[in-house]
């Protein structure tokens, strides 16, 4: 960044002594660059960058993590206030229960799982979705008796616009091969440990036990996996391209939600 | 151990000796040790491969009448506990057998099972008109109970009790009907308007009565019985509808406004039509034919039949010309009606909280409730409403996923949502299981649920 060309130095008029004809020094007005703008005086343009992080992603999880640079930090707060849903791919394993709900924890119990079918799992997921939908409507702080609440409920646009406990807006089973299964979860205000706990509770509901093998965030608001930069792409050009590509999307979303 | 005794510890069993062995220093267990410990751990089996899903009954609503069947709500077990007036969320009711049919009347409930045991029907709640049969009091053998707080067996005078099965029960304001497969219909309770299908006896006392009347005289086997507020409807296998009881609003559909004490066949627009479902709860009645047409008769003060007539009482069945598609099921409430079409759409009309928000309080033309309110979305596009039921001023809908949605006036917590406010659009009731059927009453509801696993 510092190697990039800077803006040209400012010019100002100075009266400099110049030896005139005949030996006497005269003051002549000349346009010279301001010394204060000289690179050796100013030093490097960027000594540190303000980088902020968006929604947290813990050590055992992977996926999209949104960062903001400079002015982007203010946009990060606006995006947080939009309360958009995040999408995760959660992988689980039946037959084990551990103390921290992931497969690297201390074993608590082992159970059988041959009675579990995809149909039973989908039934449990439907109930989870139902109770979370109720929580969604209740925490959105709208009076249920108004016509406005009815119309928003019909369109499915009711969402809590303030603090709320974690809410799952949609959950479905992507893959089911005993003992493994993969779920796609759309949620709000959650933590990855909460998703691991949901996997554990699904195991309990099915009269068995389950641990979470992986949590991968595939979408965070408007940012998807396609916009994400890989470890090999952490260079200036890619970052600048990524920022440019997302600028329009972010602005549109903030305007649409916060007005 | 000496130190523990000095502190006054009450350990009866001596502490197990430390197993670590002090030859090696303490270290976090290695991966190999962890893996070996995991493989050596025993596997618990909570449920086998052939485990069946259990059938359960959940009740909620007003408790003081005893209609919920939980005696501790009315007379608590411990002295310091207070009686519970309202059960706002579903509460599990323990039953001896699998309940196949339930019906809620005005302050009482009937549960029936398809068993071949002697006891097939249980009742609880108000019994002031012997709508639950004669319940002998244990304190005084000559008297009967006025309030039954627990599901108590109803003795039916069956000829072949170990072969007959009870198919369905239905409850009205103060009378009940029990449908069996080959012994006709049994009726009990109040008969001041002939709703039990027998001659009205002047000054008859209905409380503590042993009389259970049997009706067998129909053109073919009766397949559905429905109780309105003070009248009874019977649907036979051939598709005919019979009615008896009070007729001042024309709800018997027999062409007059008098009471009828013998079940008589209905004519009018349903003569010769094969009716597949009949419904009534207040004073209005609806019938659905096998071709998807709907017919109505009875009270029309709340615009229930306003699409065909301006009169407020209709005493002959009239065809309701709705252009909403083939109708699969219909349900009548006190002031509002609801139908379900073959595509799974729900249409409501009438008066009261219909489910389309606080602005739609009355309509004569059926209006559709958007399917997105029943859980249908881009994520789950194949969610459909499978059944609809009506209470006096509330509605219930069951989806094909086993979810129960309720809306309407929340009289004494009967909606089961956990809140006391009225619900203007369909709201999920959280039931721990897949809801198979629900029966709605005036101020309570009963649901038959299958557990998940």
């Amino acid at each position: 960044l510092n190697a990039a060309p800077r803006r040209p130095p400012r010019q100002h008029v100075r009266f400099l002594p110049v030896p005139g004809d005949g030996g006497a020094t005269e003051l002549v007005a000349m346009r010279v660059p301001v010394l204060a703008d000289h690179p050796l005086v100013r030093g490097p343009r960027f000594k540190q960058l303000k980088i902020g992080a968006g929604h947290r992603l813990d050590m055992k999880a992977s996926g999209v993590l949104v960062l903001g640079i400079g002015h982007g930090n203010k946009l990060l707060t606006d995006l947080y206030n939009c309360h958009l849903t995040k999408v995760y791919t959660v992988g689980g394993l039946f037959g084990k229960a551990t103390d921290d709900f992931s497969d690297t924890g201390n074993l608590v119990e082992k159970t059988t799982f041959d009675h579990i079918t995809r149909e039973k799992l989908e039934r449990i997921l439907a109930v989870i979705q139902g109770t979370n939908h109720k929580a969604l409507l209740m925490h959105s702080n709208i009076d249920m008796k108004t016509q406005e609440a009815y119309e928003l409920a019909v369109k499915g646009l009711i969402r809590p616009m303030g603090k709320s406990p974690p809410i799952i807006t949609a959950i479905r089973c992507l893959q089911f091969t005993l003992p493994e299964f993969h779920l796609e979860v759309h949620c709000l205000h959650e933590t990855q440990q909460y998703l691991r706990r949901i996997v554990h509770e699904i195991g309990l509901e099915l009269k068995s036990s389950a641990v979470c093998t992986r949590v991968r965030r595939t979408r965070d608001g408007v940012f998807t996996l396609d916009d994400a930069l890989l470890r090999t792409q952490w260079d200036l050009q890619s970052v600048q391209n990524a920022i440019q590509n997302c600028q329009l999307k972010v602005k549109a979303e903030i305007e649409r939600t916060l007005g | 151990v000496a130190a523990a005794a000095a502190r006054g510890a009450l350990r009866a069993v001596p502490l197990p000796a430390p197993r670590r062995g002090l030859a090696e220093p303490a270290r976090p267990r290695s991966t190999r040790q962890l893996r070996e410990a995991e493989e050596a751990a025993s596997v618990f089996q909570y449920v086998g491969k052939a485990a069946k899903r259990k059938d359960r009954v959940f009740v909620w609503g007003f408790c003081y009448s005893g209609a919920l069947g939980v005696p501790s709500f009315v007379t608590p077990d411990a002295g310091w506990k207070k009686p519970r007036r309202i059960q706002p969320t579903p509460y599990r009711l323990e039953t001896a057998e699998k309940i196949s049919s339930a019906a809620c009347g005005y302050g009482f409930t009937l549960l029936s099972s398809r068993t071949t045991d002697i006891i097939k029907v249980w009742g609880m709640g108000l019994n002031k008109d012997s709508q639950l049969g004669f319940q002998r009091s244990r304190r005084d053998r000559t008297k009967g109970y006025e309030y039954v707080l627990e599901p108590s067996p109803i003795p039916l005078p069956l000829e072949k009790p170990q072969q007959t099965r009870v198919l369905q029960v239905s409850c009205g304001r103060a009378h009940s009907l029990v449908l069996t497969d080959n012994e006709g219909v049994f009726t009990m309770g109040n008969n001041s308007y002939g709703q039990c299908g027998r001659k009205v006896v002047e000054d008859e006392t209905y409380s503590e009565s042993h009389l259970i009347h049997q009706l067998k005289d129909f053109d073919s086997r009766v397949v559905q019985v429905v109780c309105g507020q003070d009248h009874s409807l019977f649907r036979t296998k051939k598709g005919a509808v019979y009615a008896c009881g009070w007729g001042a609003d024309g709800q018997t559909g027999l062409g007059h406004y008098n009471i009828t004490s013998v079940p008589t066949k209905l004519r009018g627009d349903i003569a010769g039509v094969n009716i597949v479902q009949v419904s009534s709860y207040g004073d209005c009645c609806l019938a659905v034919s096998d071709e998807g047409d709907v017919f109505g008769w009875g009270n029309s003060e709340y615009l229930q039949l306003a699409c065909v007539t301006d009169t407020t009482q209709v005493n002959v069945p009239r065809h309701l010309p709705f252009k909403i598609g083939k109708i699969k099921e219909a349900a009548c409430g006190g002031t509002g009606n609801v139908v379900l079409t073959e595509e799974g759409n729900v249409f409501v009309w009438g008066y009261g909280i219909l489910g389309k928000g606080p602005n739609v309080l009355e309509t004569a033309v059926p209006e559709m409730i958007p399917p997105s309110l029943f859980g249908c979305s881009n994520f789950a596009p194949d969610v459909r409403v499978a059944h609809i039921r009506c209470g006096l001023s509330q509605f219930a809908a069951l989806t094909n996923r086993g979810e129960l949605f309720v809306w309407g006036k929340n009289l004494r917590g009967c909606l089961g949502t956990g809140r006391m406010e009225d619900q203007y659009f369909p709201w999920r009731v959280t039931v721990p299981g897949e809801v198979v059927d629900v029966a709605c009453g005036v101020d309570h509801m009963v649901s038959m649920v299958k557990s998940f696993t």
Side-chain angles (χ1 to χ4, degrees):
Chain A
L1 260 184
N2 287 329
R6 305 176 180 218
R7 66 158 188 232
R10 292 169 290 174
Q11 309 274 355
H12 68 271
V13 177
R14 282 200 72 179
F15 294 92
L16 292 176
V18 161
D21 355 286
T25 48
E26 284 182 339
L27 286 176
V28 174
M30 286 174 59
R31 235 196 169 83
V32 288
V34 174
L35 269 178
D37 273 353
H38 195 273
L40 288 174
V41 173
R42 296 206 79 161
R45 192 159 160 220
F46 293 101
K47 273 207 266 239
Q48 55 201 106
L49 290 173
K50 275 204 174 130
I51 300 187
H55 293 112
R56 284 196 201 119
L57 200 61
D58 65 11
M59 286 283 288
K60 288 184 259 188
S62 62
V64 176
L65 177 67
V66 180
L67 301 165
I69 302 180
H71 173 62
N73 291 313
K74 300 200 186 77
L75 293 177
L76 270 182
T77 2
D78 289 336
L79 273 181
Y80 175 75
N81 293 332
C82 283
H83 300 283
L84 301 165
T85 55
K86 300 182 211 55
V87 179
Y88 287 82
T89 309
V90 176
L93 194 71
F94 284 121
K96 246 170 64 159
T98 53
D99 57 355
D100 67 348
F101 311 136
S102 76
D103 51 352
T104 51
N106 296 322
L107 181 74
V108 166
E109 193 180 57
K110 281 204 318 191
T111 56
T112 59
F113 48 84
D114 49 0
H115 61 278
I116 300 178
T117 59
R118 188 168 184 149
E119 199 191 78
K120 288 185 190 168
L121 181 64
E122 307 232 313
R123 235 179 270 146
I124 304 281
L125 295 181
V127 153
I128 291 179
Q129 211 168 335
T131 43
N132 275 279
H133 187 69
K134 251 177 82 163
L136 188 74
L137 296 175
M138 288 210 301
H139 286 281
S140 57
N141 275 338
I142 299 188
D143 188 8
M144 289 296 147
K145 296 197 184 162
T146 54
Q147 183 65 18
E148 172 202 341
Y150 167 72
E151 268 155 29
L152 285 177
V154 171
K155 283 190 240 163
L157 289 179
I158 292 193
R159 223 167 56 213
M161 292 306 276
K163 269 191 184 291
S164 84
I167 295 182
I168 296 180
T169 53
I171 183 168
R172 75 175 160 185
C173 180
L174 292 175
Q175 207 193 336
F176 182 81
T177 38
L178 277 181
E180 277 183 24
F181 63 99
H182 290 269
L183 305 172
E184 183 184 323
V185 185
H186 295 233
C187 39
L188 275 177
H189 306 155
E190 80 306 334
T191 53
Q192 284 80 43
Q193 191 61 15
Y194 178 77
L195 295 174
R196 291 189 195 102
R197 195 172 137 201
I198 292 284
V199 169
H200 174 254
E201 284 176 3
I202 288 176
L204 291 182
E205 248 336 295
L206 288 165
K207 301 214 176 86
S208 176
S209 49
V211 289
C212 175
T213 42
R214 73 166 186 177
V215 177
R216 185 173 183 236
R217 191 190 273 159
T218 47
R219 190 167 69 82
D220 185 343
V222 281
F223 300 95
T224 58
L225 276 182
D226 304 324
D227 307 320
L229 296 173
L230 299 173
R231 180 69 183 85
T232 49
Q233 292 171 318
W234 290 2
D235 52 49
L236 179 61
Q237 198 55 41
S238 322
V239 171
Q240 283 179 332
N241 289 343
I243 293 179
Q244 259 186 337
N245 292 342
C246 297
Q247 234 170 12
L248 208 61
K249 274 198 290 192
V250 169
K251 206 165 122 193
E253 186 62 44
I254 291 181
E255 261 178 33
R256 202 160 59 102
T257 319
L258 297 176
Chain B
V1 174
R7 259 180 291 143
L10 301 156
R11 219 177 266 277
V13 175
L15 287 161
R19 294 227 199 108
R20 201 173 47 150
L22 302 163
E24 295 232 351
R27 255 201 300 266
R29 294 155 88 187
S30 72
T31 321
R32 188 151 157 263
Q33 275 181 322
L34 284 171
R35 208 182 52 225
E36 279 173 359
E38 197 179 303
E39 271 155 29
S42 51
V43 180
F44 288 91
Q45 185 187 49
Y46 288 106
V47 72
K49 210 162 171 183
K52 290 215 184 73
R53 295 166 73 184
K54 299 186 195 40
D55 302 289
R56 304 201 165 119
V57 175
F58 284 85
V59 293
W60 60 91
F62 185 62
C63 315
Y64 280 170
S65 56
L68 296 191
V70 183
S72 55
F73 285 165
V74 184
T75 48
D77 318 319
W80 56 268
K81 289 193 189 162
K82 285 209 293 235
R84 199 185 295 204
R85 180 172 168 257
I86 287 177
Q87 174 56 37
T89 47
Y91 188 93
R92 172 128 174 248
L93 180 70
E94 300 270 353
T95 51
E97 301 261 355
K98 178 192 165 186
I99 301 295
S100 61
S101 167
C104 293
Y106 288 41
F108 66 105
T109 319
L110 276 186
L111 304 171
S112 80
S113 162
R114 289 181 67 110
T115 172
T116 44
D117 287 353
I118 310 277
I119 300 172
K120 302 171 203 284
V121 187
W122 295 264
M124 54 252 205
L126 275 179
N127 198 23
K128 289 197 169 176
D129 286 303
S130 299
Q131 53 263 61
L132 306 175
F134 183 72
Q135 302 288 337
R136 198 179 292 276
S137 163
R138 262 179 280 179
R139 266 189 286 188
D140 182 355
R141 306 286 305 176
T142 53
K143 297 224 175 44
Y145 282 130
E146 271 192 348
Y147 289 90
V148 178
L149 298 181
E150 225 182 11
S152 306
I154 296 179
L156 295 172
L158 295 165
E159 272 174 21
K160 302 199 177 115
Q162 276 157 338
Q163 288 171 29
T164 319
R165 284 184 202 266
V166 169
L167 299 177
Q168 196 213 330
V169 280
S170 185
C171 301
R173 181 187 60 89
H175 72 296
S176 14
L177 301 178
V178 178
L179 173 65
T180 58
D181 56 352
N182 47 20
E183 291 202 33
V185 181
F186 290 89
T187 67
M188 46 204 175
N190 192 305
N191 194 40
S192 16
Y193 304 111
Q195 61 264 49
C196 286
R198 55 187 171 89
K199 200 149 137 15
V200 181
V201 174
E202 283 225 11
D203 295 332
E204 182 179 350
T205 37
Y206 297 107
S207 83
E208 296 171 7
S209 156
H210 291 254
L211 184 54
I212 299 184
H213 189 62
Q214 188 178 17
L215 294 168
K216 280 194 191 189
D217 204 9
F218 298 96
D219 65 350
S220 50
R221 200 159 67 82
V222 179
V223 284
Q224 191 193 356
V225 286
V226 168
C227 285
Q229 193 161 354
D230 279 309
H231 70 290
S232 312
L233 296 170
F234 310 85
R235 175 171 71 89
T236 62
K237 208 164 149 102
K238 288 198 181 154
V241 179
Y242 287 72
C244 65
W246 202 41
D249 275 328
Q251 58 262 56
T252 44
L254 296 169
H256 56 77
Y257 293 111
N258 310 326
I259 59 176
T260 316
S261 47
V262 172
T264 322
K265 197 181 208 165
L266 266 68
R267 303 180 56 79
D269 284 0
I270 59 173
V273 178
N274 185 12
I275 300 290
V276 292
Q277 200 237 333
V278 185
S279 167
S280 175
Y281 200 68
D283 290 325
C284 178
C285 313
L286 284 181
V288 177
S289 73
D290 56 350
E291 294 181 2
D293 296 317
V294 69
F295 301 83
W297 65 97
N299 192 0
S300 181
E301 284 168 21
Y302 302 101
L303 310 175
Q304 291 110 317
L305 308 172
C307 58
V308 278
T309 172
D310 280 332
T311 55
T312 49
Q313 275 87 16
V314 177
N315 60 4
V316 170
R318 298 284 303 271
H319 171 66
L320 303 176
F322 295 141
K323 306 245 182 327
I324 51 182
K326 260 183 82 161
I327 292 174
K328 206 164 62 159
E329 209 176 313
C332 284
T335 58
N337 296 346
V338 59
V339 288
L340 176 67
T341 59
E342 290 274 329
E343 297 116 50
N345 291 327
V346 175
F347 287 82
V348 285
W349 77 100
Y351 172 82
I353 301 178
L354 297 176
K356 288 192 62 106
N359 290 356
V360 178
L361 282 180
E362 66 169 358
T363 165
V365 176
E367 305 220 325
M368 185 165 95
I369 297 189
S372 58
L373 287 174
F374 292 114
C376 183
S377 65
N378 297 341
F379 225 64
D382 54 350
V383 173
R384 295 270 177 282
V385 175
H387 297 285
I388 40 168
R389 304 269 182 265
C390 252
L392 197 64
S393 47
Q394 58 273 53
F395 302 85
L398 295 170
T399 60
N400 53 3
R401 277 200 175 181
E403 296 187 305
L404 172 63
F405 287 84
V406 291
W407 66 97
K409 242 184 134 36
N410 197 0
L411 197 58
R412 297 186 276 268
C414 61
L415 288 184
T417 52
R419 292 157 46 217
M420 286 297 142
E421 297 138 19
D422 301 335
Q423 186 56 38
Y424 289 89
F425 56 90
W427 187 265
R428 248 182 210 91
V429 176
T430 320
V431 181
E434 194 183 309
V435 184
V436 172
D437 201 4
V438 71
C440 304
V442 172
D443 53 11
H444 71 294
M445 282 200 206
V446 172
S447 62
M448 271 89 70
V449 168
K450 258 185 138 74
S451 69
F452 289 125
T453 42

